[in-house]
């Protein structure tokens, strides 16, 4: 997989966390430590779920059946459509900030990373390359989450930003899925 494709995947996946981080950052009651813990949670779960998804996809293709690129591209495009739909249905309410929310939100913004790992990263046989790619996804998410918290300081009056992040992330995944299907 090329760096460009990996970057687009990482960017598309991270924009879900970006939208959530904007929502959290718009809440005046959230402290700097909370924001850092959320960013670390988002980055870790994006890395972990994409790694688990890639390994599961590798085992599935090796021992059960091979998933052709058309099916993988279709699944990625469906995940993108679901992200756009989620952005459309988002009511932009900031969730309650509790210690358990680091895990709940980290996992919820990273479920799509498992699907992408299963479909797009399953053919990487070298574990070091797989670790490098999934760590890259986690780092991009971490950086995007921190950027969202920084931007949210200046956008306290605009509550619709998270909605657009879901749209953009979904569109990027749809385009990547179409690329996998036809090219």
């Amino acid at each position: 997989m090329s760096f460009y494709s990996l970057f687009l995947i990482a960017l598309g996946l991270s924009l879900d966390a970006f939208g959530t981080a904007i929502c959290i950052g718009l809440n005046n009651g959230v402290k700097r430590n909370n924001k850092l813990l959320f960013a670390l949670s988002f980055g870790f779960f994006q890395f972990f779920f994409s790694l688990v998804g890639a390994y599961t996809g590798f085992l599935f293709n090796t021992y059960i059946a091979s998933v052709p690129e058309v099916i993988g591209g279709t699944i990625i495009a469906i995940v993108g459509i679901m992200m756009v739909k989620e952005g459309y249905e988002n009511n932009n309410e900031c969730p309650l900030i509790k210690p358990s929310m680091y895990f709940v939100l980290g996992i919820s913004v990273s479920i799509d990373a498992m699907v992408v790992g299963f479909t797009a990263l399953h053919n990487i046989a070298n574990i070091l390359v797989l670790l490098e790619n999934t760590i890259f996804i986690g780092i991009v998410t971490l950086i995007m989450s921190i950027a969202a918290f920084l931007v949210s300081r200046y956008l306290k009056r605009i509550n619709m930003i998270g909605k657009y992040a879901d749209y953009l992330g979904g569109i990027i995944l749809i385009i990547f899925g179409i690329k996998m299907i036809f090219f």
Side-chain angles (χ1 to χ4, degrees), residues 52-166:
V52 168
Y55 188 69
T56 304
F58 173 75
L59 292 176
F60 186 84
N61 285 336
T62 302
Y63 297 110
I64 297 174
S66 179
V67 178
E69 294 295 319
V70 172
I71 294 173
T74 303
I75 291 171
I76 289 176
I78 289 171
V79 170
I81 291 168
M82 289 170 51
M83 283 179 68
V84 169
K85 182 179 178 248
E86 178 182 314
Y88 179 72
E89 295 172 350
N90 190 1
N91 59 6
N92 292 320
E93 292 179 5
C94 190
L96 298 174
I97 306 302
K98 298 178 185 176
S100 63
M101 292 304 287
Y102 300 119
F103 296 103
V104 171
L105 288 176
I107 290 169
S108 69
V109 300
S110 302
I111 294 295
D112 51 350
M114 188 178 296
V115 175
V116 169
F118 186 86
T119 57
L121 303 174
H122 69 276
N123 58 354
I124 300 174
N126 186 342
I127 190 70
L128 292 177
V129 173
L130 180 60
L131 276 174
E132 182 180 282
N133 289 349
T134 55
I135 288 172
F136 180 75
I137 290 171
I139 289 172
V140 167
T141 301
L142 175 68
I143 291 169
M144 290 295 290
S145 298
I146 291 171
F149 287 127
L150 293 174
V151 167
S152 69
R153 291 191 320 194
Y154 302 105
L155 300 175
K156 296 262 186 196
R157 296 184 184 122
I158 302 172
N159 291 327
M160 296 174 17
I161 300 294
K163 185 177 190 179
Y164 295 124
D166 287 336

Side-chain angles (χ1 to χ4, degrees), residues 46-58:
Q46 288 280 11
F47 150 73
F48 182 69
F49 280 2
S50 60
L51 179 66
V52 168
Y55 188 69
T56 304
F58 173 75

